[in-house]
């Protein structure tokens, strides 16, 4: 019997999942595994309410898996050590996972691949987090785009992968009775706290429902309504895309379905505007993969010479929503209360921190 590990990371879903689908096609049994990486969890930029939201998402994924006769094998520690252990304990011969593009993720994944292969296990990675990866969208000279508009033009011209839908294969999900899983930790165990009023339920089904509600009507007025902070004119899909509870392919083709139903030019403009936001997301991942230093340094090195004021009292006021500037304070209070911030509010709050208060954006990440 051929057993294979699906190493789940930022793809907390069963539908339209490239690595999972490949695993289900290539094996008799597929074991879902998630490793809580202490090194990653200790980074300031990943702490906070997002971890509590992730844990809830993992619990719901486990519940979804149990409906298919499986469960989520949860481990904690070094992914290299834990994945080798799971392979040996389960007699699995391969590990499949979807690629990530941040500097830490890239380094971790390379280490995992080298270590597993050295122990005789096969490893394969897949494109899933984005529709088009870095090598696909390049200039005529083979270089990456530094400006969004020409990138978007090139991105739009490329054929798009279809949604993967093979629900009948989910019966191959299986966890051997001899394979143990640690208990799900509480948010406090990972130095995190839940938000008071989560704006979204962290599940694959909730993501699908939110997308369908958005493309049914709000998408047709998105171009204008996304700029109005007082209305719910955005899709609120960013946390779902962040944790892979829905795929960018599913989002793209749902928007194209809406585009085919437009009756007015303004509606088409709005649909195109939302698809453009999906493209911005991919442009950002391309820049991250091509310029990993941007995680801790300014995208343009010239700004590394900027002299910051870094007033810690102002930083605390900004973080707590008491600067005295209503739109900034409302944005920060929304974040603290719900764990999410309106897209235009994000621009305002971030710009205010750096350009008005002259506080280094990296200081906020260290002090958080």
């Amino acid at each position: 019997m051929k057993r294979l590990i699906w190493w789940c990371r930022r793809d907390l879903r069963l539908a339209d999942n490239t690595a999972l689908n490949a695993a289900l096609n290539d094996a008799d049994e597929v074991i879902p595994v998630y490793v809580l990486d202490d090194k990653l969890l200790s980074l300031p930029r990943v702490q906070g309410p997002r971890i509590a939201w992730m844990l809830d998402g993992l619990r719901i994924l486990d519940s979804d898996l149990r409906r298919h006769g499986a469960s989520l094998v949860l481990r904690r520690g070094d992914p290299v050590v834990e994945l080798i252990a799971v392979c040996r304990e389960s007699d699995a011969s391969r590990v499949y996972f979807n690629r990530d593009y941040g500097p830490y993720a890239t380094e971790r994944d390379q280490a995992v691949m080298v270590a597993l292969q050295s122990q005789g296990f096969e490893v394969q990675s897949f494109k899933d987090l984005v529709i088009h990866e870095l090598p696909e969208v390049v200039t005529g000279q083979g270089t990456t785009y530094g400006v969004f508009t020409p990138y978007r033009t090139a991105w739009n011209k490329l054929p798009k992968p279809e949604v993967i839908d093979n629900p009948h294969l989910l019966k191959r999900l299986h966890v051997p009775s001899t394979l143990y899983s640690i208990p799900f930790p509480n948010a406090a165990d990972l130095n995190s706290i839940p938000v008071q009023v989560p704006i979204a339920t962290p599940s694959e089904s909730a993501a699908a429902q939110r997308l369908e509600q958005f493309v049914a009507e709000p998408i047709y007025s998105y171009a204008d309504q996304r700029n109005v902070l007082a209305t719910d004119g955005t899709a609120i899909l960013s946390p779902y895309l962040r944790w892979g509870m829905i795929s960018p392919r599913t989002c793209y083709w749902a928007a194209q379905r809406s585009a085919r139903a437009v009756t007015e030019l303004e509606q088409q403009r709005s649909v195109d505007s939302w698809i453009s936001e999906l493209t911005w997301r991919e442009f950002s991942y391309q820049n991250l993969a091509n310029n990993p230093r941007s995680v801790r340094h300014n995208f343009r090195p010239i700004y590394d010479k900027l002299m910051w004021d870094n007033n810690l009292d102002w930083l605390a006021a900004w973080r707590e929503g008491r600067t005295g500037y209503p739109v900034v304070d409302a944005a920060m209070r929304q974040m603290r209360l719900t764990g999410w911030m309106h897209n235009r509010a994000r621009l305002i709050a971030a710009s205010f921190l750096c350009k008005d208060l002259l506080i280094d954006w990296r200081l906020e990440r260290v002090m958080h």
Side-chain angles (χ1 to χ4, degrees):
M1 177 177 291
K2 188 175 181 181
R3 282 179 176 163
L4 198 153
I5 302 295
W6 164 43
W7 180 22
C8 177
R9 298 105 60 77
R10 291 182 56 189
D11 52 336
L12 309 187
R13 68 181 185 280
L14 303 181
D16 193 23
N17 187 315
T18 312
L20 174 59
N21 183 72
L24 292 170
N25 274 287
D26 292 352
D28 300 304
E29 292 183 354
V30 175
I31 305 170
V33 176
Y34 191 95
V35 180
L36 292 167
D37 184 347
D38 284 322
K39 184 175 180 180
L40 181 61
L41 293 172
S42 67
L43 297 176
R45 62 185 173 85
V46 301
Q47 293 175 2
R50 75 169 69 181
I51 297 301
W53 205 79
M54 176 202 72
L55 289 174
D56 287 341
L58 289 173
R59 291 188 184 94
I60 294 174
L61 175 61
D62 179 65
S63 178
D64 291 342
L65 286 165
R66 290 178 185 278
R67 283 196 287 271
H68 294 281
S71 61
L72 184 63
V73 176
L74 186 67
R75 297 291 178 93
R76 183 173 179 179
D78 183 344
V80 169
V81 175
E82 296 303 325
L83 287 169
I84 290 176
V86 172
C87 284
R88 288 175 175 166
E89 292 166 18
S90 64
D91 197 28
S93 60
R94 298 184 185 180
V95 174
Y96 283 8
F97 66 90
N98 289 315
R99 288 188 284 274
D100 201 346
Y101 307 102
Y104 174 76
T106 302
E107 180 181 336
R108 174 201 60 199
D109 295 351
Q110 182 61 30
V112 166
M113 295 184 74
V114 170
L116 284 169
Q117 289 168 350
S118 71
Q119 297 297 313
F121 301 108
E122 297 181 39
V123 192
Q124 191 167 346
S125 67
F126 298 84
K127 178 183 70 172
D128 185 80
L129 188 61
V130 295
I131 293 174
H132 296 301
E133 288 182 314
L134 175 62
E136 297 177 75
V137 192
V138 292
T139 67
Q141 291 72 43
T143 58
T144 56
Y145 286 97
V147 178
F148 175 68
T149 300
Y151 172 89
R152 179 179 59 190
T153 300
W155 189 92
N156 284 333
K157 291 179 180 178
L158 294 172
K160 302 296 181 282
E162 297 293 333
V163 169
I164 304 166
D165 187 19
N166 293 311
H168 64 284
L169 293 178
L170 295 176
K171 62 185 179 183
R172 296 184 180 178
L173 289 164
H174 178 74
V175 176
S177 59
T178 55
L179 197 59
Y180 80 91
S181 180
I182 67 169
F184 282 90
N186 296 317
D189 298 330
L190 301 180
N191 300 318
S192 183
I193 56 171
V195 295
Q196 298 177 49
V197 186
I199 199 166
T201 301
S203 72
E204 179 179 357
S205 60
Q209 181 180 13
R210 188 172 290 275
L211 174 65
E212 288 306 311
Q213 290 173 343
F214 178 71
V215 299
E217 184 177 352
I219 193 172
Y220 294 121
S221 57
Y222 175 78
D224 293 325
Q225 290 300 307
R226 67 173 183 154
N227 296 316
V228 182
L229 292 138
T231 62
D232 188 11
T234 66
I236 314 182
L237 283 169
S238 55
Y240 295 111
L241 285 165
R242 169 63 180 80
W243 288 108
M245 294 170 187
I246 197 166
S247 83
R249 293 178 299 276
T250 296
C251 293
Y252 174 83
W253 287 113
Q256 290 295 347
R257 188 172 71 244
S258 295
R260 291 192 291 270
V262 299
T263 57
E264 300 175 6
L265 185 61
E266 186 62 26
Q267 291 178 328
Q268 183 63 58
R269 184 175 75 90
S270 283
V271 173
D272 290 344
S273 178
W274 194 68
I275 293 175
S276 182
E277 293 302 305
L278 292 176
T279 315
W280 261 112
R281 176 178 177 272
E282 308 229 333
F283 180 62
S284 297
Y285 275 117
Q286 172 182 279
N287 282 323
L288 178 62
N290 190 51
N291 185 22
R293 71 181 297 277
S294 63
V295 171
R296 297 181 180 86
H297 300 277
N298 294 299
F299 184 73
R300 295 182 178 179
I302 191 173
Y303 291 115
D304 288 336
K305 300 177 182 179
L306 188 62
M307 299 296 293
W308 302 101
D309 282 349
N310 288 339
N311 185 306
L312 296 185
D313 290 336
W314 293 357
L315 174 60
W318 175 83
R319 185 187 299 151
E320 296 164 11
R322 50 180 181 82
T323 67
Y325 290 80
V327 68
V328 174
D329 293 345
M332 298 304 294
R333 288 196 297 268
Q334 181 184 37
M335 174 64 80
R336 291 173 67 85
L337 183 66
T338 71
W340 181 85
M341 189 187 295
H342 190 283
N343 67 341
R344 287 302 182 257
R346 296 173 212 165
L347 299 178
I348 295 170
S351 178
F352 184 82
L353 176 72
C354 297
K355 297 183 179 181
D356 292 274
L357 299 183
L358 282 180
I359 294 176
D360 190 337
W361 53 275
R362 290 161 296 194
L363 182 63
E364 158 56 16
R365 293 166 69 176
V366 170
M367 298 291 291
H368 184 69

